[in-house]
């Protein structure tokens, strides 16, 4: 393994030296050289987010006329073509990525993120923000990976943890200023302060996070009044609900836009909050957000926003990027493309309450570990859909797609809890998703489970959402002890499973998530993971595609 890794690292060095791709970025001179009257001009800010290491075009789900529609989009090879074409059209341009760029594929896992470096550098980004998953390989590797990117990084709420509650310096600069024709545009960065709770605790060990509002007003004042910025944008990886909340509090006064990420939402028309407009450009490289500003006499006099689809047919794969990708993917390609099973129906994860991907995961774990009452799976958002059949007429599931669904090959763990604990846990998890106060929403979609049937009011009163709960057809008994099964998280205490505290008699099984998936698919393919309606919202459709309410926004 060490020999293989050394060989891989030498390949990176050799390719970088021979092609210059490790340092290749779109020319900043192009962005800053006047093409017209410097008194009146336009600038274009392009944004990607949550690409999750998707390097090739993939099936993407769209919700059109009340139906699922699939098209081929995204991937860095097609994104490169899109970026190069669109930047040539722009008078002055700036490209940012707002996080989750090192987690989400087998290639990234097998190379500990290293394979993504030449790919990201060759896109030509001008600025990065770390997302909640940038810590997946732990703090030191996160610093190495982000530091190896040729563009600047910003984040105003990630600090070195000095121990004993002492907070050190910021890990990254808090803001970045882009100057065009003497006009300054400020970018202030904030990532999810709940990373130590949402992710395995050990991932972010050595990092202290703070809420954005703790220093937001200070840095806005610096950018506006000290640096004299004509436009201030927050680049954020907080989730759409949290970003709307931030745009509605006084600390955000003086911010023009929040260019957000994390929840994979597709904002096509900016959401106007009290102090700022909020946008988020989807995920997996399927979309790029384009914010165009008109500047006249040093002031921004107009802004317009467009969510642009990276259609794989319209934007063919870049030969330059294909060369980079083949160089690094080559040693792993056979295993990535190996088919391990089939599905008769499209696999996707976009629906908030239940979806086919997590139904298949629950079925696999339940098949592998049958002697439990309830199987749990986290409400993850990542993983692009898979809907294209092969010559068998069914949809192939590859080793690579298992990594797309479950990048962390966690050990499967069992334990015991009471019905009362389950009731309290359910209420907490539902509030994480549907809290009336947007600042209290965090994490992914509704937690997934098998063996339990729950009816609830998604938008009901906190602590009283669950209307009925059955375990294998019988009412949940608060005094009964139930055996549950979920994945182990790195750094959780022994009595915790899937954010479930106070679990008794916890024990690791001999199986990992990937082992269970492969064994299940090998024995049962083709599978038909139709969501079983284990979780039913009484006040929302089963096709609910967003947890955001109260604003002019629809996911499509």
């Amino acid at each position: 393994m060490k020999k293989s890794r050394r060989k891989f690292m030498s390949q990176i060095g050799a390719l970088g030296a021979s092609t210059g791709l490790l340092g290749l970025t779109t020319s900043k001179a192009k962005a800053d050289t006047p093409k017209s009257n410097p008194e009146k001009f336009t600038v274009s800010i392009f944004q990607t987010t949550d690409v999750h290491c998707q390097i090739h075009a993939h099936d993407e789900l769209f919700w059109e006329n009340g139906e699922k529609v699939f098209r081929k989009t995204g991937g860095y090879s097609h994104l490169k073509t899109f970026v190069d074409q669109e930047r040539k059209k722009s008078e002055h341009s700036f490209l940012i990525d707002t996080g989750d760029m090192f987690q989400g594929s087998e290639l990234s896992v097998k190379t500990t993120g290293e394979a993504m470096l030449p790919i990201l550098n060759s896109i030509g980004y001008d600025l990065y923000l770390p997302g909640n998953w940038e810590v997946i390989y732990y703090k030191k590797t996160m610093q190495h990976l982000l530091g190896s990117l040729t563009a600047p990084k910003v984040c105003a709420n990630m600090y070195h943890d000095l121990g004993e509650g002492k907070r050190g310096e910021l890990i990254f600069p808090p803001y970045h200023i882009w100057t065009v024709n003497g006009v300054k545009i400020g970018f202030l960065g904030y990532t999810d302060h709940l990373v130590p709770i949402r992710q395995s605790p050990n991932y972010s060990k050595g990092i202290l996070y703070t809420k954005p509002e703790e220093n937001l007003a200070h840095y806005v004042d610096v950018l506006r009044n000290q640096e004299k910025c004509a436009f201030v944008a927050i680049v954020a990886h907080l989730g759409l609900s949290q970003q709307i909340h931030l745009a509605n509090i006084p600390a955000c006064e003086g911010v023009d836009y929040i260019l957000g990420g994390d929840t994979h939402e597709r904002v096509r028309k900016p959401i106007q909050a009290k102090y700022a407009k909020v946008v988020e450009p989807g995920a997996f490289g399927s979309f790029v957000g384009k914010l165009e500003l008109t500047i006249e006499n040093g002031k921004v006099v107009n802004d317009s926003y467009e969510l642009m689809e990276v259609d794989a047919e319209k934007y063919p794969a870049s030969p330059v990027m294909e060369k980079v990708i083949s160089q690094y993917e080559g040693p792993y390609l056979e295993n990535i493309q190996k088919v391990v099973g089939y599905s008769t129906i499209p696999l996707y994860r976009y629906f908030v309450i239940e979806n086919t991907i997590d139904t298949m995961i629950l079925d696999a774990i339940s098949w592998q570990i049958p002697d439990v009452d309830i199987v749990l799976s986290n409400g993850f958002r990542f993983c692009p859909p898979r809907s294209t059949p092969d010559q068998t007429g069914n949809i192939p599931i590859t080793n690579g797609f298992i990594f797309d669904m479950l990048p962390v090959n966690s050990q499967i763990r069992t334990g015991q809890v009471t019905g009362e604990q389950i009731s309290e846990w359910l209420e907490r998890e539902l509030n994480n998703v549907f809290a009336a106060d947007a600042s209290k929403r965090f994490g992914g979609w509704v937690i997934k489970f098998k063996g339990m049937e729950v009816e609830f009011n998604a938008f009901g009163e906190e602590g009283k959402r669950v209307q009925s709960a059955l375990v294998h057809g019988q009412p949940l008994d608060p005094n009964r002890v139930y055996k549950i099964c979920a994945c182990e998280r790195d750094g959780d205490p022994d009595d915790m499973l899937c954010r479930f505290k106070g679990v008794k008699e916890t024990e690791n099984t001999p199986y990992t998530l990937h082992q269970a998936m492969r064994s299940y698919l090998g024995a049962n393919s083709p599978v038909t993971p139709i969501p079983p309606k284990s979780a039913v919202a009484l006040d929302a459709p089963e096709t609910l595609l967003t947890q955001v309410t109260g604003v002019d926004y629809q996911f499509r």
Side-chain angles (χ1 to χ4, degrees), residues 19 85 259:
T19 67
Q85 289 185 17
L259 305 171

Side-chain angles (χ1 to χ4, degrees), residues 456-478:
F456 63 94
N457 289 320
F459 305 105
E461 184 180 348
E462 181 177 353
K464 297 180 180 179
R465 286 187 172 87
V466 176
Q467 301 303 297
S468 70
L470 306 175
V471 178
H472 297 299
Q474 299 298 314
L476 183 66
D477 183 345

Side-chain angles (χ1 to χ4, degrees), residues 353-374:
I353 300 172
E354 287 187 330
N355 58 62
T356 57
I357 284 180
D358 287 300
T359 297
M360 182 173 67
I361 291 170
L362 289 169
D363 288 345
I365 298 173
S366 181
W367 177 85
Q368 187 72 76
I369 316 289
D371 61 334
V372 296
D373 297 305
I374 303 167

